[in-house]
Amino acid sequence: MKLTILNQFYPPDYAATGQLLEELSIELSKKELDVQIFAGQPGYAFDQDLAPAQEVCQGVLIRRTRTSRLWPQRLRGRAIAGILYCLRAIVKLRLKRRLGDLILVTTEPPYLMVVAYILHLLYKKPYICLIYDLYPDVAVKLGVAKEKDAIVKLWRWLNHLTWQKAEAIIVLSESMAKVVADKEPALAGKIEVVHNWADGVLIQPRAKTDNWFAQRHGLDQTFTVLYSGNMGRCHDLETVMAAARLLNQKAVRFVFIGAGAKAPICRDFVQRHQLTNCLFLPFQPKQVLPFSLTACDLSLVSILPQVEGLVVPSKFYGCLAAGTAIAAICASHSYLRGIIAEAQCGAAIDNGDGEGLAQFILELKNDPQQATAMGHRGRRYFEENFTLDTIVNQYRSVIAKVSDQQPAQSRTKKSHCYPDSQPL
C-alpha cells in the first residue's frame, strides 16, 4: 500500500509533529508500506535554511514545497505560510499517481484536512484524519476568535465535512475523543485513540553524574526542575513561575528549554522579581535530547484547563521515557491525571496552585529516593504502553482496517516509486 502523509513540518524542522511523523513514517515503511511525505521547507530549524525539494531518507520519499517559510515566529506569518502550503499541496497532488492508495492528513496547519477532503472529492481517495490540535476550538478558548465569528462557523462546517468523509479519525487522548464525539455523535465509531510516543531507545534514564549536559550547566550540583518544549499559549507557565518565585532561596534550579509565545513573558517575570534560580536555554538538537531530558530530578508538563481535550502535550511521553518524576499542571478532568495515578510516577497539580507545586518540589528535594522511584515507575509504564513500536502497531491496525474496507480495484497495483521528480 502507498501511504501519503500531509504535514507542514518535517525534519530538519524541529517542530514536535514533524519529528514524531519522521519516526512514524520510517517505522511504517518497514511494515510493507510505501510512504511518502508532503511537507514544507523548514521554518524552525537549527542550522539549515533549506532542505532538498525531494529526497528519499530511510525508505521514505519526502517532497517539500518552497512556499511555507514566511515569518515562522509570527502568528499571521504562520497562518499565511500554512495557507500557501495547503494550496501548493492541492496543486502538486492533483496528479493521481502521486496520491497512492491512502492519505493520512494532520492538523498542521489546522485547516490542512480540507486538502484531503478536496482530493477525496476529485479522486475518491480515502483518508484518515490525525488531530493534533482541535481548531477552531483552541482559538476560541484562547480568545483569539469568537464563537459568533464567520470564520469560526465556516471552520466548524468544514470540520464536519472532512470528518464525515474520513475513513477514521485518530485523536491523541481520551479527553480529545470525548470532545470530538460530543460534537459529532454520529461519527463516534470512527474515532480511534492513539497516544503520542517517545523513542525509548534514544531516550533512556541517565544519572546526572554521567550526563555531560547536566554537568555543563551545573545541574548535577542542585535539585533541578525541567520544562522542555514549546512555551506556547496553551501551556500553564504562570503556575511554574509562581513556584519558582516561592523557591528562589531554596537551592532549587528551574531550567526552561525551548521557545514560544510565553517565553519572553517568563523572562520578564524573572527579571521583575529578580529571581536567580531560573535558566533559559534554546531548543536542543535531537541528538542532545537523551542528555537534556535526563538532566533533572523533576520534569514539568502543563496545559491550560480551557484547552484540555483540544491539545495534547507531546513532551509528556519524553518525560516518561527519560525516567524522571513528573509534575503535570492540568485540569481535574485531564487524561494526564489518570496516567500519572496509574503509573505512580509523579503528581498532578491544579492550575494556579503555585504553592502546591512548590511543596511537591520540596518534598522530592528532601526525599530523593522517592523521586528516583517515581522515575523508575514512569519508565516502566512507558515501556508497557508508549514505545514507538507499540504505537506504530496501533497506527498500522487503523490503516489495515481502512484498507480492508476499500474496493480492491481502487488500490494501486504496481509497487514502483513515484516517477515524477519535478521540484515542489
Side-chain angles (χ1 to χ4, degrees):
M1 167 175 279
K2 291 182 173 67
L3 174 68
T4 298
I5 300 178
L6 304 183
N7 191 73
Q8 184 177 352
F9 303 118
Y10 199 81
D13 230 310
Y14 58 70
T17 57
Q19 294 194 40
L20 287 169
L21 280 178
E22 179 186 39
E23 296 172 356
L24 176 64
S25 60
I26 291 172
E27 292 303 311
L28 286 176
S29 71
K30 298 176 182 177
K31 297 181 181 295
E32 300 181 354
L33 283 174
D34 188 354
V35 182
Q36 74 159 339
I37 303 289
F38 186 90
Q41 285 289 342
Y44 308 88
F46 295 102
D47 54 6
Q48 190 171 345
D49 291 333
L50 290 173
Q54 180 174 307
E55 64 177 332
V56 176
C57 183
Q58 299 190 62
V60 178
L61 174 63
I62 306 160
R63 300 179 184 273
R64 297 183 178 91
T65 175
R66 294 176 293 222
T67 59
S68 59
R69 299 185 65 253
L70 303 176
W71 314 298
Q73 305 302 328
R74 308 186 73 169
L75 189 61
R76 184 174 299 176
R78 293 199 299 272
I80 295 174
I83 292 173
L84 291 175
Y85 165 77
C86 290
L87 293 175
R88 194 66 170 170
I90 295 173
V91 171
K92 300 309 294 186
L93 295 175
R94 74 188 188 280
L95 300 176
K96 192 173 182 179
R97 66 179 180 272
R98 284 187 171 180
L99 284 176
D101 304 299
L102 177 66
I103 300 171
L104 176 63
V105 60
T106 76
T107 51
E108 286 288 2
Y111 28 81
L112 178 58
M113 291 185 179
V114 177
V115 173
Y117 176 72
I118 293 173
L119 294 173
H120 172 77
L121 292 181
L122 291 174
Y123 303 115
K124 303 301 180 184
K125 287 295 180 181
Y127 63 91
I128 297 171
C129 292
L130 170 53
I131 301 177
Y132 284 125
D133 303 317
L134 193 56
Y135 278 86
D137 303 71
V138 173
V140 172
K141 292 295 185 180
L142 294 179
V144 177
K146 296 181 180 179
E147 194 66 52
K148 63 181 180 181
D149 291 348
I151 186 64
V152 171
K153 294 179 181 178
L154 174 62
W155 207 328
R156 293 200 187 285
W157 178 70
L158 290 173
N159 281 347
H160 172 75
L161 290 181
T162 55
W163 295 348
Q164 189 177 49
K165 293 296 183 181
E167 299 297 325
I169 303 169
I170 297 177
V171 297
L172 305 182
S173 72
E174 291 75 14
S175 300
M176 189 177 288
K178 184 178 186 306
V179 172
V180 176
D182 287 345
K183 290 180 178 297
E184 300 283 351
L187 304 181
K190 292 184 178 183
I191 300 172
E192 305 277 355
V193 178
V194 183
H195 286 262
N196 275 335
W197 66 91
D199 186 341
V201 176
L202 177 69
I203 302 171
Q204 298 191 27
R206 181 183 298 269
K208 290 200 288 183
T209 54
D210 185 34
N211 189 325
W212 63 264
F213 188 92
Q215 294 165 11
R216 173 179 295 180
H217 298 287
L219 307 180
D220 57 330
Q221 303 297 319
T222 184
F223 189 91
T224 304
V225 180
L226 174 66
Y227 182 96
S228 177
N230 184 30
M231 302 170 70
R233 295 174 177 84
C234 294
H235 302 109
D236 182 355
L237 289 163
E238 292 78 6
T239 301
V240 179
M241 299 313 300
R245 185 181 181 187
L246 290 171
L247 299 177
N248 194 36
Q249 306 298 325
K250 298 294 185 180
V252 174
R253 188 75 160 162
F254 286 79
V255 180
F256 300 87
I257 301 177
K262 287 189 175 180
I265 297 174
C266 292
R267 292 176 184 270
D268 179 66
F269 184 95
V270 169
Q271 291 181 349
R272 282 190 292 109
H273 296 284
Q274 299 181 335
L275 303 186
T276 60
N277 60 347
C278 294
L279 172 65
F280 292 89
L281 298 171
F283 278 114
Q284 302 297 307
K286 187 173 183 178
Q287 62 268 24
V288 177
L289 291 181
F291 304 95
S292 63
L293 292 180
T294 54
C296 66
D297 303 281
L298 175 67
S299 296
L300 299 180
V301 177
S302 71
I303 194 77
L304 290 174
Q306 60 265 39
V307 294
E308 174 63 37
L310 308 181
V311 300
V312 168
S314 59
K315 63 175 67 68
F316 177 61
Y317 305 91
C319 298
L320 287 171
T324 61
I326 300 173
I329 305 164
C330 56
S332 59
H333 59 286
S334 174
Y335 81 102
L336 295 172
R337 290 180 178 255
I339 294 177
I340 288 176
E342 186 174 349
Q344 298 182 344
C345 62
I349 308 295
D350 292 336
N351 297 98
D353 188 8
E355 184 175 347
L357 176 58
Q359 290 176 351
F360 180 62
I361 292 171
L362 287 179
E363 178 183 335
L364 295 190
K365 179 179 181 295
N366 296 328
D367 188 358
Q369 291 183 344
Q370 180 184 0
T372 300
M374 286 180 173
H376 288 165
R377 291 194 292 267
R379 173 69 191 197
R380 185 166 58 248
Y381 191 86
F382 165 82
E383 292 174 348
E384 294 170 352
N385 297 277
F386 302 129
T387 64
L388 175 57
D389 190 58
T390 297
I391 302 302
V392 167
N393 284 334
Q394 293 177 20
Y395 271 92
R396 190 66 185 89
S397 295
V398 176
I399 293 170
K401 184 191 301 184
V402 170
S403 176
D404 290 342
Q405 295 171 355
Q406 302 306 310
Q409 61 268 26
S410 70
R411 301 173 194 162
T412 305
K413 295 181 180 179
K414 296 181 180 179
S415 59
H416 56 72
C417 294
Y418 297 90
D420 191 293
S421 59
Q422 181 181 354
L424 301 177

